[in-house]
Structure formats: C-alpha cells, structure tokens
Amino acid sequence: MIEKAEREQIIALINREVVPAIGCTEPIAVALCVAKATETLGCRPQKIQVLLSANILKNAMGVGIPGTGMIGLPIAIALGALIGKSEYQLEVLKDSTPEAVEEGKKIIDSQAIDIALKYGIEEKLYIEVICEAEGKKATTIISGGHTKFVYIAKDENVLLNEQSTQSSSKELENIELTLRKVYDFAMTTPIDEIRFILETRNLNKNAAERSFKGNYGHQLGRTLNSQNTNLMMGNNTFTHILSYTSAACDARMAGAMIPVMSNSGSGNQGITATLPVVVYAEDHGKSEEELIRALTLSHLAVIYIKQSLGRLSALCGCVVAATGSSCGITYLMGGNYEQVTYAVKNMIANITGMICDGAKPSCALKLASGVSTAVLSAVLAMENKCVTSVEGIIDDDVDRSIRNLTLIGSQGMNETDKLVLDIMTNKRCN
C-alpha cells in the first residue's frame, strides 16, 4: 500500500483536477477571467478587451454557452461581466437568467467587446482580460490552468503577480506518477478515502439521462439509444457505453445548463473517463467498491497522462480520457496490472493522432470513437493481446509508450494545431 502521506497528496491532486463544470471549460474560463476583472474594477465595464492563446480561441469558437442558446465567446464574455462570480470557478455562469442574456446581447451590439489573439507567448492556455470604465482599468490573466489566476491588477496597483514562463503541464507535475503507482493507489487505498469519486458518476450520468430527454447537438446519444440503432448494433453494454457517453457530450457542447464532472480542465475528458466505467459496472452487477476503484483508476490515469501532455494540445482529449476508461473497464473485467498495461498500449497504437479542432457539438462523435476503442482495447487485453514494441510508437515499457503519445501531442502536432486554427478562422471569414 502507498504510504498515507503520499496517498493524501494524490487524493488532493484528484480533488484539484476532478471538479464540476458547466459548459465548455475554455469559454467558461474566459468568462471567469472577465468576472474577476469586473470584480476588481468594481463596476460594470464599458470596454472589455480579451487576448487569448490560439488553443483557447479554437476551443471557444463553435461551442454552445450554457443557458443562452448562443455560440461562442462574445456572450460568455458579456455574461461574465454581468452576472459572473469568480468564486463559482468553472460554474461561473450558473446564475445566468434570460434577462441577463438579453442584456448581454446589448453589450455585444454596442461593440464593447474586443477579442484577439495574444502573440508572443508559448503557453497554450492563456487568457488576458482588460476591463475599463470611468477612467479605471482592471487586468486579469489566467495561465496554465483553467482557474489559475497568475496576474491581477487595478490601474497601476498589482494585486497578484505569479506569471511564469513554465508550461501548463508543470502545474500537474508536483507528484511523480507512473502507471504502476496509479494502479496501486486505485487498488489499495482504503475505500473510504476515495469514495468521493462516486460524485463523478452522479453528475455525469445525470447529464446523460437529461440529454436523452432533450434535443441537444447532433443527438448522437439519443440516436444510439434508439430502437433503430438497437436493431443494427444490439441492446448491450457496448451500445449503452456509446450512448451514455455521447449523450452527456451532446448536452454539454450544445450549451445545456447541466453540470458535469471534469478532469484536468475538460468536461469531455471527465465524461469519457467516467461513463464507460459506470455503465460497464452497472450492466455487469459490479460492487460499489469495484466501481470506486475503477473510477479512481480511470481518472487518475487521465491526470497522469495529462502531466506530460499539458492541458491543451492538438491531440483530442478523448484519446487520453478513453485510455483512462479502458484501464477502468479492464479492471472491472477482472484484469490485473499487466492487462491494464496491455489496454493502454492498444489504445496508444490505435487512436493517437486524432486532432482537436475545437469544442463543438460534433465532439460527441469523437467521444464515441474513443470509448468504442476503449472497449476494444480492454477486450483484447483480457485475451492477453497487445500491440508490441516492434510496431509503431509502442515501447515495451508502458510509461515510455505514454510518453511517446504525449510527445506527439505536445510537440509533434504543433504545426497541425496552427493549420487547424488557420482553416477554422479562414473558413468563418468566407
């Protein structure tokens, strides 16, 4: 068993990275930064300038903003100034009302909001907000984490300055993890110390079930849950996993005012790390303890992989999150540590390279692809089959295989990231 002091550190890490969020975390983080700037200013801003890293801009262009029926950053920024409360963190817009949305539209129409790229920075998660009114100015900066304020100033008075040139992944590197340690923690920690992870089931399953009753996004979850789909694919655990996971994403990406439990700053990652594990456990009558350990394994595996990948990259987050859920499913199927490593290698060999082209309703399709691969990888692992080190980017050592994945996502795909943003911005200008 891992020593108590280290267990407490890991538990604190999970609690820091697995948190509730309403709406896509990139525009919500922008709204949070605006809310803090407005609070610092002390009055409603007359002008709001927002400077963003390319990855933040990419992930905020096509996603629904909760409770608004609108897409994109302007309404998120306006509501951040009008009703946002920074103390709510990633639920900053939960007090939104139809009246606030109408007022927000007036702010947008007044041309008070200016959104631009921030040039000359390496950080992929960067948000800078400058609010002005009545000759006063407030500046806030979030960098390296969706809720991590590194700079706050009112006029010339600097209230906080923790700016650093370190990459966002450094925030997650304060605990040395390996897949072996992740597995041992999940398997041996006293169950009452990790029972809190069940809240991921409660929030994310609720999001999926509410989505089944609505008309969100491309309605992939509802479609996969329909009688016609059952005739084609069957009414089984596999289709249940696909439908629940994609349904929660449908609602979230469409801007439903429904909280989900995120992982490492992403609601879709939280959904993908949770629901396949929950559905498998419930369909196969697994005990509560087994579910707790499987969810802990899944979520902590995602956190571990994100340590070297960073919070935002050109690699779709569902690749990482589905790898976590494949670990959890393998355990629930009776797999041991070696078989969990097989599942991870199978995942990396299969869907590494899936691009992130922003947050939007079609993310549900990618989540469905990711979790279908998670199931396939677990099934192969339980047959003691895995991709070997003579094939592609897989190494005999599972941690080096993970590192190969994250190197491709964090470094190798940087040019892809630039090209994707270029395509997206030029397409919308035509």
Side-chain angles (χ1 to χ4, degrees):
M1 181 184 292
I2 296 173
E3 293 294 326
K4 183 177 181 180
E6 189 172 14
R7 291 203 315 270
E8 290 175 350
Q9 281 187 310
I10 295 173
I11 289 168
L13 175 64
I14 297 172
N15 278 314
R16 189 163 67 244
E17 298 301 331
V18 180
V19 297
I22 296 177
C24 176
T25 46
E26 277 71 56
I28 294 302
V30 175
L32 173 63
C33 202
V34 172
K36 176 64 81 172
T38 301
E39 290 165 2
T40 303
L41 187 67
C43 63
R44 177 169 161 175
Q46 297 166 337
K47 180 181 178 182
I48 307 171
Q49 183 180 13
V50 179
L51 301 171
L52 305 171
S53 59
N55 286 78
I56 292 288
L57 186 62
K58 178 183 71 175
N59 277 2
M61 289 172 62
V63 69
I65 306 303
T68 68
M70 299 173 68
I71 288 173
L73 281 168
I75 190 62
I77 292 168
L79 289 175
L82 288 170
I83 54 88
K85 292 184 175 63
S86 63
E87 64 194 75
Y88 291 166
Q89 299 283 286
L90 293 180
E91 295 179 289
V92 61
L93 300 184
K94 69 179 181 180
D95 288 343
S96 180
T97 63
E99 293 75 19
V101 173
E102 291 305 310
E103 189 64 25
K105 292 177 182 178
K106 294 177 182 178
I107 292 178
I108 296 170
D109 292 340
S110 73
Q111 306 294 311
I113 298 171
D114 178 51
I115 304 168
L117 277 173
K118 177 74 174 183
Y119 292 99
I121 57 169
E122 295 183 6
E123 174 57 56
K124 293 184 178 181
L125 198 167
Y126 182 92
I127 304 163
E128 180 177 341
V129 173
I130 303 165
C131 288
E132 298 180 66
E134 301 173 358
K136 298 182 293 184
K137 181 173 76 171
T139 303
T140 51
I141 298 174
I142 286 175
S143 180
H146 289 79
T147 61
K148 185 181 179 183
F149 285 95
V150 298
Y151 185 84
I152 302 172
K154 183 174 183 180
D155 296 322
E156 303 304 318
N157 184 19
V158 177
L159 306 175
L160 172 72
N161 190 358
E162 296 179 356
Q163 295 184 87
S164 170
T165 58
Q166 293 181 339
S167 67
S168 61
S169 62
K170 298 296 181 184
E171 185 189 351
L172 298 177
E173 290 181 1
N174 54 354
I175 298 176
E176 287 289 334
L177 293 174
T178 63
L179 190 65
R180 179 83 237 191
K181 184 174 288 187
V182 167
Y183 179 85
D184 288 347
F185 174 86
M187 296 303 108
T188 65
T189 296
I191 202 68
D192 285 340
E193 293 183 17
I194 52 175
R195 190 177 299 277
F196 66 88
I197 203 70
L198 287 176
E199 188 61 20
T200 65
R201 172 197 63 185
N202 300 339
L203 277 187
N204 292 340
K205 187 179 178 186
N206 176 67
E209 291 177 342
R210 287 178 63 179
S211 182
F212 288 140
K213 301 173 183 177
N215 298 298
Y216 299 108
H218 297 293
Q219 300 179 45
L220 179 60
R222 284 188 62 179
T223 301
L224 290 169
N225 200 39
S226 69
Q227 185 174 358
N228 287 339
T229 301
N230 288 340
L231 290 173
M232 174 71 72
M233 299 174 63
N235 183 11
N236 51 48
T237 299
F238 180 64
T239 54
H240 297 166
I241 287 173
L242 295 183
S243 63
Y244 267 79
T245 305
S246 54
C249 182
D250 283 332
R252 179 173 177 267
M253 292 290 95
M257 191 65 83
I258 300 173
V260 301
M261 194 68 81
S262 66
N263 183 305
S264 303
S266 166
N268 283 349
Q269 286 172 185
I271 289 166
T272 306
T274 302
L275 289 176
V277 176
V278 170
V279 171
Y280 186 92
E282 291 182 351
D283 277 11
H284 292 268
K286 299 299 178 179
S287 68
E288 183 176 82
E289 177 172 345
E290 288 173 309
L291 174 58
I292 290 170
R293 297 201 182 280
L295 284 172
T296 301
L297 175 60
S298 178
H299 279 278
L300 188 56
V302 176
I303 293 168
Y304 164 47
I305 298 172
K306 293 290 286 186
Q307 282 184 331
S308 53
L309 178 62
R311 294 192 180 274
L312 299 177
S313 74
L315 182 71
C316 178
C318 82
V319 175
V320 175
T323 299
S325 64
S326 190
C327 293
I329 292 170
T330 302
Y331 158 71
L332 290 173
M333 294 175 75
N336 55 27
Y337 172 70
E338 186 176 26
Q339 288 164 320
V340 168
T341 69
Y342 292 168
V344 171
K345 292 179 182 180
N346 291 339
M347 289 294 296
I348 294 170
N350 193 340
I351 57 173
T352 295
M354 182 186 293
I355 65 166
C356 171
D357 55 342
K360 67 273 183 227
S362 63
C363 285
L365 293 164
K366 295 188 178 186
L367 266 61
S369 295
V371 298
S372 65
T373 305
V375 173
L376 173 63
S377 297
V379 169
L380 282 173
M382 291 306 296
E383 295 295 323
N384 293 312
K385 300 184 187 301
C386 92
V387 178
T388 67
S389 61
V390 300
E391 304 173 71
I393 64 172
I394 299 304
D395 195 289
D396 283 329
D397 183 274
V398 68
D399 294 297
R400 284 200 292 266
S401 295
I402 289 170
R403 184 61 176 154
N404 293 341
L405 163 71
T406 60
L407 280 171
I408 289 171
S410 63
Q411 298 181 26
M413 296 178 71
N414 281 339
E415 289 302 314
T416 300
D417 218 10
K418 295 175 185 176
L419 182 57
V420 166
L421 182 65
D422 185 59
I423 290 170
M424 290 172 66
T425 53
N426 286 327
K427 176 187 67 176
R428 290 177 181 274
C429 290
N430 291 336

